[in-house]
Amino acid sequence: MDLATVWFVLVAVLWVGYLALEGFDFGVGLLTRNLARNDRERRVLINTIGPVWDGNEVWMVAAVGATFAAFPEWYATAWSAYYLPLVLILMSLIVRGLAFEYRAKHDSEQWRRWWDRAIFWGSALPVFLWGVLLAGFVQGLPLDARHDFVGGLADIVTPYTLLGGVVTLMLALVHGAHYVALKTVGDIRTRARALAGRATAISVLTTGVFVLWTVAAHGGGSVTWLAWIAGAAAIASLTTGAAMNTRGREGWAFIATFATVVLVGVALFSTLYPNVLPSTSDIGGLTIANASSTNYTLTVMTWAAVPLVPMVLAYQSWVYWMFRRRIGVQHIP
Amino acid sequence: MDVVDLARWQFGITTVVHYFFVPFTISMAFLVAIMQTIWMRTQDERWLRLAKFFGKLLLINLAVGIVTGLVQEFQFGLNWSDFSRFVGDIFGAPLAMEALLAFYLESVFVGVWIFGWGRIPPKVHLAAIWVTACATLFSAYFILAANSFMQNPVGYEINEEAGRAELTDFWAVLTNKVTLITFPHTIFAAFLVGGGVVAGIAMWHLVQGRREPVMGEPGGASDAGVFRKALRIGAITVLIGGVGTAVTGDIQSKVMTEVQPMKMAAAEALYETQEAAPYSLFTVGSLDGSRALYSIEIPYLLSFLSTGSFEGEVQGIDDIQEEYQELYGPGDYAPNIPATYWTFRLMIGFGGLAAAIAAWQLWSTRRGRVPTSAWALRAAVVLPFLPLAANTFGWIFTEIGRQPWLVFGLMPTASGVTPGSTAGSVFATLAAFTVLYAGLTWLWIWLLVKYARPGLPDISAEARWGRGRSGEPAAGPGGDDVDGLQPDPDDDADQPLTFAY
């Protein structure tokens, strides 16, 4: 494997890690609207992700940084093409991050209501739009010879990419519900389990259709077989998660949806390989080869990533272990 | 305005606002870590109260700092895609390393610190804030390395075929002489901010408590002793920051004179090359070189500042312009002179004023004295904002002074912009960001004031080390009003979280 391919895999790992980790805290954000019945319960939900959401979000920062560093052309083309959705994502993440930190900093009904809206929409919009974007990478964009985007909104918002958004949204909801069931006690835990079961049904359907569509319409690369396997495994894992959930094995249910998100990611990125952003206009497609940095840059970054990535995984896992206790309304001061 | 101007405004606004929060975070993380360390060593509860008080302000600030920082990483691709293509091979690496090494550490361990009060071993908890603080330094280093490449490109070669700059020596990028001097300058300037906040707030409470003594009330005279300590720590921090920025700034201006003579000539609005050049403190009149109506000048100072010798030759704008035209072809290579001239002076002026106030604070609180004048209160209120303004103007000076270059000598600003972008979309997002940023800056100040005003928190009920120290659960406030809820049998300890969102 040449270094560019190694970095394609690493960039994919970072994006998929981001979706799997922030996926559940987006899901918890979505659940604050209807799963929580009062302010106290809402605070329980927010506190389940309190110590970890920020660390999860850094996966996005690392993914964007790695994309920029390893595949500057990919970053330049995609980020200028997806101008509007990316600005929306940024603004959503800004108000969402502030909402977690500021919600409890002032005692007023009105104040909390506004921040609750920020948490819900700040979770819903990014998780949906990231799905649209990732599906868009697979679908491709009309580019010119300089790899600049020459299309319009209709090239970005297509039935396929919208379905991609629905898939990430629904997966986040199930994933988040499993997390809440795993991290809480009492009534809210029971409700989260019930909701996860119902949402799984829709999620299996949308994810199934999406994976089939992805591989059937955009497959054909050298590792399409991997996409098929990952897609099938994603569905299997999603249904396993539901089964575990109904039996009260919430830890396993959470691991199952974690695996589902990872597998859907694997299906997407292996369909994409060896492209990073195909062109729908016959010219200007971006591949691992023509979008990557020089071998020297990739070597330098590999030397940095080899010790750092395991270190990050180690201390981040340690934090999850440290804050492993369930919480309930009785813990909210 | 065309796309380039709009994109520059967007970058300017989002970066300047982001940089309100960065120096605050860097310095306050260290100051809180120091306070918490003193508490751990002395077990003097006053230090715990100080750590919690300023820790809260740190968190209010950190939240805005982190979320506005996300925008920076996206900007290069959104509005400046040609810049990203041109320098991505070099510029992306420090950004990616910043995320992998620093930002992960910072975000993960600040979470540990926030939620760890009373739940994890005290030493681990203390380590968390120190890790967070050190991570902010790593962050700063990598970002400054990226920025310094734009100021003084090193360690690259131009690949004509690919139309981009390619990295040949990463070590050279990390040890760029501009990075090496900008880093300490920026960090000292950051400490000016944190010190100013601590000293300003402590002074306010101290003076207010002396003017209207309400015993036992938070912020009242009873807390005077604690605020006095905080005030002196803050003021000393400001003074160290002041001296540090002055010394590093002096070295930096010599490095700048070498790598970007135009920036330094513009900072002085010096048009003709001069030996033994004077430094003008203040000029009224036109800065286009035609006439100075009124000017206060210090002889020889500019020569000394730029070259280290009183007789040294300082190049003027006109000569550099000629030289650059020969080197890079026809064009205007001078930045906006009034903006450069004034931001340079405002940076120095605000920073110097902050240091002067800090020195006066130390003097006026010597041997148990406490000033009670209205001026002391006013000085306390403005002190936190002076270093912030100095930092802001410093960055505006650095970035405007580099114009018309995006990457000095390699890429003009106008050629970095995204080719297909329209003025409409850049303007719309510029407007949206401006409104959002104005809102969150207002919110930030409002919350800081709200939490700074009541004085030190009462920690008798909450926030002791709970099980960690005394072995028995600490009862939190409101712990009794959980009516009708049975503790979960799976849970060994049902005391409320000491910290919860």
Side-chain angles (χ1 to χ4, degrees):
Chain A
M1 242 189 332
D2 64 335
L3 273 181
T5 308
V6 170
W7 274 88
F8 177 78
V9 173
L10 206 61
V11 164
V13 166
L14 290 169
W15 280 111
V16 170
Y18 170 64
L19 290 178
L21 286 169
E22 184 122 291
F24 76 75
D25 71 53
F26 278 143
V28 174
L30 294 170
L31 291 170
T32 52
R33 172 145 297 192
N34 288 321
L35 190 71
R37 297 224 166 113
N38 53 42
D39 187 54
R40 219 183 175 78
E41 289 195 346
R42 205 161 290 129
R43 290 183 63 189
V44 170
L45 291 185
I46 297 170
N47 278 290
T48 60
I49 54 170
V52 295
W53 74 268
D54 198 2
N56 294 346
E57 199 156 290
V58 183
W59 282 78
M60 178 193 83
V61 178
V64 176
T67 309
F68 189 5
F71 301 99
E73 291 285 326
W74 185 9
Y75 170 82
T77 301
W79 259 236
S80 53
Y82 289 110
Y83 193 86
L84 188 66
L86 284 169
V87 169
L88 281 176
I89 286 174
L90 280 176
M91 293 191 165
S92 310
L93 292 179
I94 288 174
V95 291
R96 176 180 189 260
L98 282 187
F100 289 138
E101 202 59 60
Y102 284 2
R103 189 182 178 281
K105 292 266 188 293
H106 179 61
D107 192 22
S108 139
E109 252 328 277
Q110 189 91 12
W111 171 270
R112 279 195 295 271
R113 234 193 340 264
W114 276 104
W115 288 123
D116 287 340
R117 287 188 190 121
I119 290 176
F120 178 78
W121 289 106
S123 304
L125 267 178
V127 74
F128 176 78
L129 289 172
W130 279 126
V132 170
L133 254 76
L134 286 173
F137 287 164
V138 173
Q139 172 199 263
L141 292 171
L143 306 177
D144 64 15
R146 289 190 70 243
H147 306 143
D148 278 316
F149 177 58
V150 287
L153 211 56
D155 298 297
I156 291 171
V157 184
T158 65
Y160 172 72
T161 59
L162 286 178
L163 180 61
V166 174
V167 167
T168 46
L169 188 74
M170 287 310 298
L171 282 178
L173 195 65
V174 181
H175 198 26
H178 284 168
Y179 181 76
V180 169
L182 174 67
K183 293 292 289 182
T184 56
V185 285
D187 198 23
I188 202 161
R189 175 179 175 185
T190 323
R191 266 182 277 139
R193 266 155 64 172
L195 187 140
R198 288 197 301 276
T200 304
I202 309 172
S203 203
V204 166
L205 186 71
T206 49
T207 310
V209 173
F210 180 68
V211 168
L212 282 176
W213 193 345
T214 300
V215 192
H218 305 289
S222 48
V223 286
T224 306
W225 56 271
L226 182 59
W228 280 118
I229 295 173
I235 301 296
S237 161
L238 192 54
T239 43
T240 311
M244 289 297 171
N245 178 51
T246 47
R247 278 185 221 157
R249 308 292 301 270
E250 288 135 349
W252 287 107
F254 177 69
I255 290 172
T257 41
F258 196 100
T260 307
V261 177
V262 171
L263 289 164
V264 170
V266 171
L268 276 174
F269 280 96
S270 53
T271 306
L272 190 57
Y273 183 87
N275 295 310
V276 292
L277 188 59
S279 172
T280 53
S281 62
D282 300 339
I283 45 165
L286 288 170
T287 63
I288 289 175
N290 72 5
S292 73
S293 286
T294 53
N295 216 45
Y296 175 74
T297 299
L298 295 176
T299 309
V300 167
M301 293 210 309
T302 308
W303 279 107
V306 165
L308 287 177
V309 171
M311 209 176 86
V312 168
L313 287 173
Y315 64 69
Q316 212 165 11
S317 317
W318 171 77
V319 170
Y320 276 90
W321 175 248
M322 184 97 87
F323 294 101
R324 65 189 177 280
R325 276 185 46 204
R326 289 176 184 269
I327 59 170
V329 278
Q330 66 271 33
H331 299 108
I332 298 300
Chain B
M1 277 197 284
D2 59 4
V3 172
V4 179
D5 288 330
L6 289 166
R8 282 184 65 194
W9 271 104
Q10 190 173 118
F11 200 93
I13 288 173
T14 50
T15 309
V16 163
V17 175
H18 174 55
Y19 208 74
F20 291 159
F21 318 119
V22 174
F24 190 123
T25 299
I26 293 174
S27 49
M28 198 58 94
F30 275 99
L31 290 169
V32 169
I34 290 168
M35 289 167 186
Q36 192 173 337
T37 307
I38 300 178
W39 170 65
M40 296 270 293
R41 293 186 77 97
T42 62
Q43 292 295 322
D44 179 348
E45 243 162 39
R46 294 181 302 174
W47 288 100
L48 174 61
R49 295 171 71 204
L50 276 177
K52 289 215 146 204
F53 176 74
F54 287 108
K56 199 131 217 169
L57 303 186
L58 169 67
L59 294 183
I60 289 169
N61 175 73
L62 192 72
V64 215
I66 287 181
V67 295
T68 53
L70 299 177
V71 179
Q72 305 311 321
E73 202 192 27
F74 283 56
Q75 286 261 1
F76 308 113
L78 292 172
N79 288 329
W80 304 93
S81 71
D82 270 3
F83 165 76
S84 306
R85 291 184 207 285
F86 183 66
V87 296
D89 192 57
I90 300 150
F91 198 81
L95 290 192
M97 286 183 195
E98 191 258 354
L100 280 176
L101 177 64
F103 202 45
Y104 265 122
L105 277 176
E106 191 179 330
S107 300
V108 170
F109 281 93
V110 81
V112 173
W113 188 71
I114 299 174
F115 285 87
W117 284 105
R119 281 211 279 180
I120 59 175
K123 279 186 181 156
V124 179
H125 185 255
L126 179 67
I129 186 77
W130 277 108
V131 171
T132 306
C134 294
T136 64
L137 291 188
F138 295 141
S139 238
Y141 196 86
F142 283 112
I143 297 303
L144 290 173
N147 178 268
S148 297
F149 179 82
M150 295 165 72
Q151 307 285 353
N152 178 41
V154 290
Y156 71 97
E157 67 187 22
I158 299 290
N159 180 338
E160 295 289 349
E161 198 186 334
R164 66 178 182 183
E166 293 181 345
L167 188 63
T168 56
D169 186 352
F170 189 61
W171 186 245
V173 172
L174 288 183
T175 57
N176 188 338
K177 60 183 165 188
V178 176
T179 315
L180 293 181
I181 190 60
T182 307
F183 177 70
H185 188 63
T186 310
I187 298 303
F188 277 121
F191 274 92
L192 217 49
V193 175
V197 170
V198 171
I201 291 173
M203 178 90 165
W204 189 84
H205 280 289
L206 196 60
V207 177
Q208 192 75 0
R210 186 57 61 97
R211 280 157 70 96
E212 297 165 30
V214 188
M215 294 299 285
E217 286 282 308
S222 58
D223 279 341
V226 207
F227 277 123
R228 182 185 193 79
K229 280 182 189 299
L231 165 65
R232 295 184 80 88
I233 288 181
I236 289 169
T237 307
V238 172
L239 284 177
I240 294 173
V243 173
T245 36
V247 172
T248 51
D250 178 56
I251 303 171
Q252 193 184 24
S253 73
K254 290 176 177 63
V255 174
M256 260 310 140
T257 307
E258 195 188 319
V259 302
Q260 284 181 36
M262 186 62 108
K263 180 188 278 180
M264 299 318 287
E268 182 52 23
L270 181 78
Y271 281 84
E272 283 161 32
T273 300
Q274 247 181 300
E275 280 169 25
Y279 178 87
S280 79
L281 277 182
F282 184 80
T283 297
V284 180
S286 63
L287 293 167
D288 62 4
S290 53
R291 64 212 151 91
L293 298 179
Y294 179 75
S295 184
I296 304 174
E297 293 185 337
I298 303 175
Y300 303 107
L301 185 61
L302 180 60
S303 279
F304 183 69
L305 290 178
S306 318
T307 65
S309 145
F310 289 105
E311 301 293 333
E313 183 187 89
V314 183
Q315 279 187 293
I317 296 165
D318 293 339
D319 293 313
I320 304 170
Q321 165 72 19
E322 249 174 66
E323 200 181 298
Y324 282 1
Q325 286 207 338
E326 268 172 42
L327 204 58
Y328 305 116
D332 182 5
Y333 295 98
N336 181 324
I337 309 287
T340 351
Y341 180 90
W342 283 113
T343 50
F344 189 62
R345 272 149 194 79
L346 289 170
M347 166 184 79
I348 295 171
F350 281 123
L353 193 55
I357 291 181
W360 168 78
Q361 282 182 321
L362 285 180
W363 172 254
S364 66
T365 54
R366 73 194 183 281
R367 274 177 272 135
R369 279 168 234 230
V370 175
T372 51
S373 70
W375 278 107
L377 272 183
R378 282 178 204 139
V381 172
V382 293
L383 182 58
F385 295 98
L386 294 174
L388 214 53
N391 272 271
T392 304
F393 286 120
W395 270 114
I396 295 177
F397 164 70
T398 302
E399 297 298 287
I400 283 190
R402 192 188 58 231
Q403 300 304 323
W405 297 108
L406 193 48
V407 184
F408 190 82
L410 295 181
M411 179 177 237
T413 304
S415 12
V417 87
T418 300
S421 66
T422 59
S425 63
V426 183
F427 179 78
T429 52
L430 167 64
F433 274 121
T434 307
V435 170
L436 180 66
Y437 275 36
L440 59 87
T441 307
W442 179 81
L443 212 63
W444 170 66
I445 294 179
W446 182 75
L447 275 178
L448 286 180
V449 171
K450 179 186 152 91
Y451 276 86
R453 199 186 280 273
L456 299 183
D458 179 16
I459 53 151
S460 50
E462 50 122 14
R464 286 173 197 275
W465 278 109
R467 293 174 301 155
R469 205 166 87 183
S470 57
E472 55 187 354
D480 299 331
D481 59 24
V482 189
D483 13 59
L485 287 161
Q486 293 303 311
D488 190 276
D490 297 333
D491 247 345
D492 55 328
D494 262 326
Q495 85 267 25
L497 301 167
T498 36
F499 185 94
Y501 277 147

